[in-house]
Amino acid sequence: MNIALILAYNGTNYHGWQVQKNGSSIQETLTGAAARLLGQPVSVSGAGRTDAGVHARRYVANFHADCTIPMPRLPLALNAQLPEDIAVSGAAVVPEGFDARFDCTKKEYAYYLYPSRLRDPFLSGRAYRYPYPLDIERMQAGAQFFVGKQDFAAVRSIGTPVKSTVRTIFHCEVEPCEDNLIRIRVCGDGFLYNMVRAIAGTLTYVGSGKLAPADVRVILDSRSRENAGPTLPACGLFLNRLWYDHTPELDPFPLH
């Protein structure tokens, strides 16, 4: 049977989702837990890569296996095999052809900032401290230039080769949230390497006055990474939401 899992994780202690030769990963840890629990080899596929130190509030993975454990009990059984920083919250049998990566139609990432000259130990590892004031209204105005189908070469790092740097961003919002944090939410049909962290860095420059909101348009049109803001650290980035179509088996665990 094909089993889909809903999970969340704190990525601080991992080298990202994908199995790595020189460090622990979420995929490797989850695969090992499922194999031990079911007593058989499994191959776990995930919704996509997250880099070292990046977190996920909502992530979807799937694997094929013979499983006699009822789906409502499977999360509890898997969590008993997993470390505290990875938690499965739902499981469902899905069609044989379902793939957590290729069936995902869009994703939303959230980047968390806190403008402060002083460290907050309770935000360490889950938000980026920026030591200067930030103007949220300016950041929100600049964020709107990222919306739409366009070339995002100016806000990506060189990594895995891609056929095209054109992507569609459905929304890009900057908003205040709890603990005096600023949250940048970016939803798209796909993302280039470090794209959200570079968008967050560019909007940070807009919020601090180093760039004008309209400069974002000029930066994107230039297609030059040198013109945009910095790539902010991974600690503030969360995979926030995922969208899937035609998967009623997952309705008890809504993905959108």
Side-chain angles (χ1 to χ4, degrees), residues 11 57-58 66 73 81 85 141 145 196 218 221 230 232 242 252:
R57 294 190 185 280
R58 178 61 62 91
D66 297 324
R73 292 179 53 194
Q81 301 286 332
D85 49 9
F145 291 99
V196 177
V218 178
D221 289 343
L232 296 188
L242 298 165

Side-chain angles (χ1 to χ4, degrees), residues 12-36:
T12 301
N13 296 322
Y14 299 92
H15 290 249
W17 161 261
Q18 189 165 331
V19 171
Q20 303 289 325
K21 294 181 179 179
N22 58 351
S24 60
S25 69
I26 308 293
Q27 185 181 32
E28 178 184 34
T29 305
L30 183 60
T31 298
R36 287 192 302 273

